[in-house]
Amino acid sequence: MISGSANRAGFLPAPIMGMCLALCLAMCAPSASAAASSPDPFAPSSTGLRQIAEIMGRLSKTMGDIPPNIDRIALSQIKVDPKEFSPGISRYIQAQIEEVFRKEGRKTVVTSPELRTFRVVATDSTFKFSNTLPSMEDLWKLGDKLRVDGYIEGSCSKSADNDVILNLKVFRHRTGEIVWSNSFVAGPNEKKPDIWNLDWSASANVTRFPIQEGIVPSAVASDSLGRPKLDTLSNLALTMYGIEGTVSEAVTPDKFLLFSVSLGYGFANGTGGPDSLAVNFNIQMVNFGIEMLGIFFRKSNPDLGYWLGTYVGYKEFVPFNNRGHLSTLTVGYKSRVSRHFTLGGGILFMPLNNKLKGLGADEENRFLTLEPVAYELTYLHYTF
């Protein structure tokens, strides 16, 4: 009896272990499912949709290279291998290209019943795409009818590694002259995908800080102990020449609002004082700031420049070998006169921190109180 009871007790852990194993599998299953349902959003997809989205972002950045006199445009054809893309994906590619030229390139995209770029000819087992305009002569006649300046033509294919390759060109409808062409690749074999849509700029500027009051040692007068006598002057100013690097990103889809972050270095020297001053106001500064730019009176293609924009921002100046820093609020105007160059100017307000005290044996007695308003001019701003 005792032996039988012991044997029965020995079989009890088996079902309990089975239940525990089933419970562990049930708990682990949601984790595996969750991992499978959250792929890398930037990883290539077998359908090519992620690669196409990446390519369209790069295509939008090249719209400024198209000549401005090519304003009215039509899509002639996009050659696609039906073994690589389904009819739905092929039409999606066409729609995305038209949207980029219309929105980002600010082109007038026209169509016509004669331009059925993706017509599907199907049989029981296969299908293919054909264009209803087989000759250039038909395109020329249709171009005159639609009053277009050029046609878009290209091809889209996929490699064995799921790289999507898009080749595009724009040509004049009468002469066949190619005025723009480009190729784009997105997929596992590209070097680096474009995750951030950023603009990088470098600029040179000059900033003038009027001085409300300056207490500085004199070179020609001294006190009874032989120390330089302190002069109080109000006709001084600091003129700073600086360079800056800027990173900008569009806040709105239409690029009417831009947000920027800047970092720079400047060298300021004093002006307006008498020759008897013992201290030359040579102050080195680093600055960093943020800025929001709103664009007005924009040209049809913003990559070719816009007429005028106004900005507001905050900028902090930190001088070397000085006690104190300058906190400024900036307001001004900028004009992008070409695709790469921008001019600008504005006012800096210093409602709080506007005092600098020198450090070191030569300038420890120098004390500057700056005017609450300063002025800046950006005479060279280059966007890469």
Side-chain angles (χ1 to χ4, degrees):
M1 296 294 292
I2 297 174
S3 177
S5 300
N7 289 338
R8 284 194 300 270
F11 286 108
L12 285 177
I16 295 176
M17 291 178 64
M19 293 175 62
C20 292
L21 180 60
L23 181 61
C24 290
L25 291 174
M27 294 177 64
C28 294
S31 300
S33 175
S37 61
S38 58
D40 182 0
F42 300 107
S45 62
S46 59
T47 60
L49 289 177
R50 288 198 185 99
Q51 296 92 308
I52 293 170
E54 176 70 23
I55 285 175
M56 294 306 150
R58 299 176 186 179
L59 175 61
S60 65
K61 296 180 180 180
T62 66
M63 291 292 98
D65 296 330
I66 301 176
N69 57 359
I70 305 294
D71 182 62
R72 191 175 174 89
I73 202 167
L75 184 59
S76 169
Q77 68 172 349
I78 302 295
K79 298 177 182 178
V80 177
D81 190 340
K83 297 179 182 178
E84 298 169 348
F85 295 101
S86 66
I89 297 295
S90 301
R91 293 188 177 94
Y92 174 76
I93 295 172
Q94 174 185 353
Q96 288 295 298
I97 293 173
E98 291 174 340
E99 183 178 8
V100 169
F101 274 82
R102 184 174 59 86
K103 289 186 176 180
E104 303 299 332
R106 280 18 183 221
K107 304 298 181 184
T108 302
V109 180
V110 299
T111 187
S112 172
E114 294 91 336
L115 285 171
R116 295 176 58 189
T117 309
F118 292 111
R119 186 178 65 176
V120 179
V121 180
T123 63
D124 293 337
S125 59
T126 62
F127 66 91
K128 64 179 181 178
F129 304 119
S130 66
N131 194 286
T132 57
L133 290 172
S135 67
M136 287 296 297
E137 184 178 356
D138 294 331
L139 282 177
W140 297 340
K141 292 179 180 179
L142 183 59
D144 290 337
K145 175 183 175 181
L146 299 177
R147 296 179 289 107
V148 299
D149 301 311
Y151 281 109
I152 307 169
E153 185 179 286
S155 64
C156 191
S157 60
K158 189 192 298 183
S159 71
D161 296 329
N162 286 330
D163 294 297
V164 174
I165 305 168
L166 177 66
N167 302 303
L168 288 177
K169 63 182 177 182
V170 175
F171 61 91
R172 299 186 188 274
H173 83 285
R174 280 183 173 272
T175 64
E177 175 192 0
I178 298 176
V179 296
W180 175 89
S181 63
N182 218 320
S183 297
F184 307 91
V185 179
N189 291 321
E190 65 180 333
K191 293 182 179 180
K192 186 178 180 182
D194 291 338
I195 299 177
W196 308 108
N197 186 14
L198 303 176
D199 288 332
W200 301 84
S201 306
S203 62
N205 54 61
V206 57
T207 306
R208 184 172 178 82
F209 298 94
I211 295 177
Q212 188 178 79
E213 183 181 57
I215 300 176
V216 296
S218 173
V220 296
S222 58
D223 58 13
S224 58
L225 299 177
R227 296 174 300 186
K229 187 177 180 180
L230 299 179
D231 289 337
T232 301
L233 303 171
S234 59
N235 57 344
L236 303 176
L238 279 175
T239 303
M240 188 184 75
Y241 302 92
I243 55 175
E244 286 186 0
T246 306
V247 181
S248 304
E249 183 179 22
V251 178
T252 56
D254 54 10
K255 296 185 178 180
F256 275 101
L257 197 62
L258 302 176
F259 176 77
S260 303
V261 178
S262 63
L263 176 65
Y265 165 82
F267 182 85
N269 53 24
T271 59
D275 295 336
S276 60
L277 289 182
V279 176
N280 292 321
F281 297 99
N282 295 329
I283 302 176
Q284 300 181 63
M285 300 186 190
V286 294
N287 65 81
F288 56 90
I290 57 175
E291 179 183 286
M292 191 70 74
L293 172 67
I295 300 173
F296 304 97
F297 309 115
R298 188 171 64 181
K299 295 180 180 179
S300 58
N301 187 346
D303 290 329
L304 299 176
Y306 52 79
W307 289 67
L308 190 64
T310 183
Y311 66 88
V312 294
Y314 171 83
K315 188 175 289 187
E316 187 80 11
F317 294 88
V318 181
F320 298 146
N321 298 323
N322 279 264
R323 185 176 300 161
H325 57 92
L326 307 178
S327 302
T328 66
L329 301 175
T330 61
V331 179
Y333 293 97
K334 288 184 178 180
S335 178
R336 191 167 180 174
V337 296
S338 70
R339 181 186 173 194
H340 294 288
F341 291 97
T342 301
L343 300 176
I347 300 175
L348 290 76
F349 298 96
M350 291 176 283
L352 299 175
N353 302 319
N354 64 337
K355 300 180 185 296
L356 297 178
K357 179 176 176 55
L359 297 177
D362 295 333
E363 299 190 12
E364 61 180 354
N365 294 321
R366 183 205 8 103
F367 187 83
L368 303 177
T369 302
L370 278 65
E371 294 280 0
V373 177
Y375 310 93
E376 67 175 355
L377 174 66
T378 302
Y379 56 88
L380 178 60
H381 182 97
Y382 184 87
T383 302
F384 297 96

